[in-house]
Amino acid sequence: METVTLNDGIEQLKGVGPKRAALYRKLGIETVRDLLSFYPRDYLDLSHPLPITEAPAGEVSAVRGRVFKKQGPQRIRKGLTLYKVFATDGDGELVITIYNSQFLFDALSLDGEYCFYGKVTGSPLRREMSAPLCLPASETLLLRPVYALTEGLTNKMVQANMQDALAVWGDRLTDSLPSALRQQYSLCQLRYAVENIHFPADAQARNLARQRLVFEELLVLQLGLSLLRQKHRRQAGARMEDPELSPFLESLPFTLTDGQLQTIRDGIRDMTGRTPALFAGQADEAAPAPEEVRVPMNRLVQGDVGSGKTMVAAALCYVCVKNGFQAAVMAPTQILAEQHYATLERQLSPLGIRCCLLTSSLTPKARRQTLEGVESGLYGVVIGTHALLRGEVAFQALGLVVTDEQHRFGVAQRAALDRKGNNPHLLVMSATPIPRTLALIIYGDLDVSLIRELPKGRQPIDTFAIDPGKRGRALGFLKKQVDEGRQAYIVCPLIQEDGGELASITRYMEDLQKTPLSACRIGALHGKLKPREKEALMAAFQAGELQILVSTTVVEVGVDVPNANIMLIENAERFGLSQLHQLRGRVGRGQYKSYCVLISGGGAEDTRRRLQVMTSTSDGFRIAEEDLKLRGPGDFFGQRQHGLPELKIASIMEDMDVLEEARQAAQALLRQDPSLSLEEHRGLRAEVRRLFSQSGQVAMN
Ligand code: ADP
Ligand code: MG
């Protein structure tokens, strides 16, 4: 036989012509290797058939029986012919209906023993199944793979092709895991794993197979991330020597919380290797050797909404600029960038630091001038969205990058920074609590600072969950707050089926005209507005010219108007808990007693439970945990919010325990062989390259 390789095209398989190959290609399957790693999304479990009388109606079950009667065909109308097959297991009777298939009907022979799998209906005495899966009772594959298919491709076809692939190419499945590692973590061999993930001998074999494949995938992921990181670590960060901060601290209108101070201290130590005089007397003051290569800061700041992360950023920007470098501050939205600009400018310009805002709403001329100022070093702090990292923006000496609320910004994204020269220090700020293991994966080996407390004097936010019947009263209460000089947010979710965001906001504004609020100054903020219009609206709200801001979720992250003390959220059931928490964080930022009113029509039990979490706690970490429990891990980061390569079998959230094991294994491997160049690691190295190239990310060196 001629030699085959796993890179052979899918057309080499029996029964795969150009047409089927095109279907496979739709699923991203081009080679035999791709097919073999096209893992089932689920299994039909025929291994525990129930007695017919005990199969619960309304549920999918497997039962066994002997065919004792066949009836048909019965032509109901054009295009619909029915066949009936009667089976029994001695106690119960099962009636099977087959539609339009003489072939399936003929395949069931009188007196034959079969296993039937399908949804059960009918009474206990006479169970029914409509078009079930029918297998001879002698069938041994009792956990049947179910693949995520595309139109035109059936499970049966994939199973046949898979069988062929395993038979002819199976010998090529050489193990990329060194055998010592397999033994250490009790992992089965690759060939066994691939065979049993597709055609499990039993549940235990399937679990063993999955365990091994998940481990390998997470190991490869972490090896890849570590290699990326190493590359980065070989370079020294922007060199800063002077940790002095006193002028900045003295200019603040408030005293910083302990959490803020600690975080600032951590950041200054990362950047300068020294502890500012302010913190003298505190532990760990080891002065770094001057010649030592100092790696760039890589720090995550986790602090709940309202904990004052912006001031931490301002302090580090101050130190950075005083050391002769520039700082870039990136926000996820334009509105937030504008707000950061206002805050930083107010804080830093009296200290002689010039800030600029780079957004798409600048006129071409203003933009050119700003870019020139950035390049010449006129501006110390540059604020904008992530477009700041685009090629066109040239810095004179970028020393620090701060990202706010951007979870995409992980290890793999760091590479873009390095291209800006100087190996800037990186500070990632987030209000979303991330389990530590996960943070390690997403951000690499970053150091974490926590801000646990909110600034003093904050009043807790009273939260109420009400149904729409009480909306009138809620609006009345809101009006009262506004009359007393406060401001209010009203948040409406996007309602697509109603003709989009604009339509639903417009309708809502019209409805408000029929309420006592019609006398108030109200603005409507939504994604369809031009940047300039949004900016003007936010400015008007911030200045108190607008009393009420009706908004879609663009207001979600970070907007800071301390005079606003009440937020009303419509259709609260449409939001995730973490999102509601973020929204609610827009109020309770000043000295006024604050309120949050959640309106939801859905009387469903789980809606009530979810909203109850909101009324009972204001702890962002607890809310995130509950969110995770109630909604499952899929929603936690949204659609691939984390910027990692796509995984085929492992789930970072669900396989957290394996993740930890794989992390240790990756570290041990790299200690022994830092660039994976040993012969026995060749397979792993190839897997790393494969995983990271498939997602179009930074290639390995
Ligand atoms: P977040 O962590 O959500 O980004 P912000 O940085 O927007 O929080 O800060 C929230 C509000 O708290 C702002 O109005 C800010 O001026 C104020 N603030 C920050 N630190 C303190 C402090 N130490 N004492 C009092 N107010 C503070
Ligand atoms: Mg913020």
Side-chain angles (χ1 to χ4, degrees):
M1 197 173 92
E2 47 187 305
T3 53
V4 296
T5 84
L6 293 175
N7 294 328
D8 289 341
I10 198 83
E11 292 90 348
Q12 309 282 318
L13 289 162
K14 244 188 309 194
V16 179
K19 218 172 114 202
R20 194 178 297 181
L23 293 175
Y24 274 126
R25 224 163 277 132
K26 261 200 197 168
L27 298 171
I29 298 167
E30 313 240 353
T31 64
V32 174
R33 183 198 311 278
D34 295 338
L35 182 72
L36 289 171
S37 57
F38 180 53
Y39 303 124
R41 76 170 159 75
D42 201 359
Y43 300 84
L44 303 184
D45 187 356
L46 281 62
S47 61
H48 297 91
L50 295 172
I52 292 175
T53 51
E54 285 171 29
E59 281 176 34
V60 174
S61 290
V63 299
R64 280 167 177 261
R66 184 179 54 79
V67 173
F68 66 89
K69 186 162 112 189
K70 296 179 70 177
Q71 221 175 53
Q74 185 186 4
R75 194 151 179 274
I76 303 295
R77 55 179 156 78
K78 193 164 188 285
L80 180 61
T81 307
L82 297 188
Y83 304 84
K84 299 259 181 204
V85 175
F86 298 78
T88 175
D89 61 1
D91 283 335
E93 192 178 313
L94 179 71
V95 185
I96 288 155
T97 310
I98 295 172
Y99 301 90
N100 295 338
S101 176
Q102 183 77 42
F103 175 78
L104 287 179
F105 181 65
D106 290 344
L108 295 173
S109 53
L110 209 55
D111 270 339
E113 293 271 356
Y114 296 93
C115 182
F116 304 103
Y117 181 92
K119 187 167 170 176
V120 178
T121 54
S123 71
L125 292 179
R126 206 180 120 109
R127 291 299 195 199
E128 295 174 30
M129 276 189 189
S130 170
L133 174 70
C134 310
L135 296 169
S138 58
E139 172 65 48
T140 50
L141 183 64
L142 297 176
L143 280 174
R144 304 188 69 85
V146 179
Y147 297 94
L149 301 165
T150 181
E151 166 117 38
L153 204 60
T154 66
N155 268 309
K156 217 169 148 178
M157 292 175 192
V158 178
Q159 277 176 37
N161 296 146
M162 202 66 82
Q163 234 129 20
D164 185 32
L166 281 169
V168 180
W169 280 265
D171 286 341
R172 298 280 142 192
L173 287 168
T174 47
D175 224 304
S176 53
L177 292 182
S179 59
L181 194 72
R182 270 204 334 265
Q183 270 161 26
Q184 188 185 347
Y185 291 95
S186 318
L187 301 168
C188 66
Q189 295 201 5
L190 178 64
R191 178 157 189 185
Y192 177 91
V194 175
E195 280 170 357
N196 281 281
I197 200 77
H198 292 294
F199 305 111
D202 52 35
Q204 196 192 358
R206 192 235 351 242
N207 295 346
L208 275 176
R210 184 173 190 280
Q211 179 81 6
R212 131 106 211 192
L213 295 169
V214 167
F215 183 95
E216 177 172 350
E217 191 167 46
L218 293 175
L219 176 72
V220 167
L221 173 68
Q222 297 184 80
L223 286 172
L225 291 173
S226 296
L227 289 175
L228 270 175
R229 203 176 298 145
Q230 259 180 29
K231 209 160 122 189
H232 162 75
R233 284 227 156 209
R234 268 178 245 129
Q235 298 134 339
R239 194 165 187 100
M240 302 182 187
E241 303 293 343
D242 178 9
E244 206 32 59
L245 187 66
S246 310
F248 173 83
L249 293 176
E250 282 154 20
S251 73
L252 285 177
F254 38 65
T255 44
L256 296 176
T257 64
D258 288 349
Q260 285 172 312
L261 280 171
Q262 278 301 334
T263 306
I264 292 169
R265 185 184 99 130
D266 293 345
I268 293 179
R269 282 189 52 91
D270 290 347
M271 295 198 303
T272 68
R274 288 155 207 257
T275 312
L278 161 79
F279 299 108
Q282 293 194 14
D284 65 61
E285 269 179 273
E291 299 315 318
E292 187 189 333
V293 174
R294 212 178 290 143
V295 300
M297 167 164 78
N298 207 15
R299 183 169 291 279
L300 168 69
V301 179
Q302 287 201 340
D304 208 346
V305 267
S307 61
K309 295 184 289 294
T310 319
M311 276 306 141
V312 171
L316 297 186
C317 286
Y318 174 84
V319 171
C320 169
V321 175
K322 288 295 167 188
N323 276 278
F325 288 93
Q326 290 168 297
V329 178
M330 297 191 294
T333 65
Q334 179 130 341
I335 290 180
L336 266 183
E338 279 148 16
Q339 184 182 291
H340 280 339
Y341 170 70
T343 309
L344 294 171
E345 165 79 14
R346 192 171 58 231
Q347 213 53 55
L348 297 175
S349 71
L351 300 166
I353 293 175
R354 302 186 68 153
C355 302
C356 70
L357 178 66
L358 246 184
T359 67
S360 53
S361 59
L362 293 179
T363 62
K365 187 170 165 225
R367 184 173 176 80
R368 203 174 54 244
Q369 283 174 349
T370 309
L371 284 173
E372 279 168 17
V374 175
E375 184 155 15
S376 71
L378 173 69
Y379 295 113
V381 181
V382 185
I383 298 131
T385 59
H386 54 266
L388 275 187
L389 287 187
R390 274 211 304 258
E392 134 192 66
V393 188
F395 291 83
Q396 193 221 11
L398 182 60
L400 167 67
V401 173
V402 179
T403 71
D404 192 18
E405 299 299 347
Q406 289 190 282
H407 305 123
R408 267 177 181 286
F409 208 91
V411 176
Q413 286 69 33
R414 263 216 77 121
L417 274 186
D418 295 346
R419 269 179 255 124
K420 292 280 171 192
N422 291 322
N423 288 304
H425 299 282
L426 176 66
L427 187 76
V428 178
M429 303 198 297
S430 170
T432 311
I434 304 169
R436 170 142 178 92
T437 335
L438 204 52
L440 277 171
I441 299 296
I442 296 173
Y443 297 114
D445 57 345
L446 44 61
D447 305 303
V448 181
S449 296
L450 283 178
I451 308 182
R452 292 180 188 281
E453 70 274 73
L454 297 182
K456 286 202 186 57
R458 291 278 170 77
Q459 304 222 25
I461 304 166
D462 276 355
T463 303
F464 307 93
I466 63 172
D467 54 50
K470 299 211 179 90
R471 180 182 288 112
R473 271 175 60 191
L475 290 176
F477 181 68
L478 187 142
K479 171 88 169 26
K480 204 170 132 244
Q481 295 297 320
V482 169
D483 287 344
E484 283 172 19
R486 303 287 78 75
Q487 289 166 280
Y489 296 100
I490 299 181
V491 178
C492 311
L494 293 178
I495 303 172
Q496 295 297 10
E497 62 269 30
D498 281 355
E501 188 176 356
L502 188 58
S504 55
I505 282 276
T506 312
R507 168 128 20 91
Y508 195 83
M509 291 294 277
E510 284 165 14
D511 290 345
L512 280 185
Q513 290 310 310
K514 298 169 205 145
T515 72
L517 296 186
S518 63
C520 302
R521 300 184 302 276
I522 310 180
L525 187 68
H526 53 81
K528 290 275 142 51
L529 292 175
K530 297 214 174 65
R532 205 177 292 266
E533 298 170 315
K534 280 192 216 164
E535 202 177 317
L537 266 173
M538 274 317 295
F541 189 64
Q542 219 135 19
E545 287 154 26
L546 289 174
Q547 295 169 297
I548 301 175
L549 194 63
V550 175
S551 163
T552 56
T553 49
V554 285
V555 80
E556 183 179 342
V557 230
V559 172
D560 186 33
V561 180
N563 187 48
N565 77 327
I566 178 162
M567 169 171 287
L568 189 140
I569 303 176
E570 294 280 357
N571 295 107
E573 74 280 358
R574 291 180 187 235
F575 296 100
L577 289 183
S578 294
Q579 207 181 0
L580 287 173
H581 181 64
Q582 288 283 335
L583 283 168
R584 180 169 63 178
R586 299 311 105 218
V587 297
R589 306 194 136 233
Q591 76 256 43
Y592 307 104
K593 172 88 201 136
S594 296
Y595 307 92
C596 175
V597 184
L598 307 170
I599 303 185
S600 81
E605 178 58 25
D606 75 307
T607 302
R608 198 164 303 138
R609 261 215 324 273
R610 267 170 12 102
L611 296 184
Q612 214 233 309
V613 175
M614 294 303 297
T615 58
S616 66
T617 182
S618 57
D619 177 343
F621 279 79
R622 247 211 73 202
I623 289 173
E625 263 171 30
E626 289 295 326
D627 209 11
L628 200 58
K629 261 193 246 156
L630 293 170
R631 302 212 303 172
D635 287 334
F636 194 61
F637 279 101
Q639 283 294 308
R640 311 222 338 98
Q641 268 292 300
H642 43 59
L644 294 174
E646 200 163 345
L647 300 176
K648 285 195 153 83
I649 189 162
S651 147
I652 289 183
M653 295 301 295
E654 277 160 32
D655 296 313
M656 199 82 91
D657 45 342
V658 185
L659 187 66
E660 186 52 39
E661 276 186 354
R663 200 167 72 82
Q664 285 162 14
Q667 282 172 347
L669 272 172
L670 290 174
R671 258 198 308 275
Q672 179 207 352
D673 181 12
S675 53
L676 289 187
S677 46
L678 294 180
E679 180 58 27
E680 72 225 64
H681 297 150
R682 233 175 63 179
L684 275 176
R685 198 176 157 76
E687 291 299 328
V688 168
R689 194 170 291 132
R690 210 168 279 131
L691 181 67
F692 280 77
S693 68
Q694 142 240 225
S695 63
Q697 291 192 27
V698 206
M700 302 283 100
N701 46 341

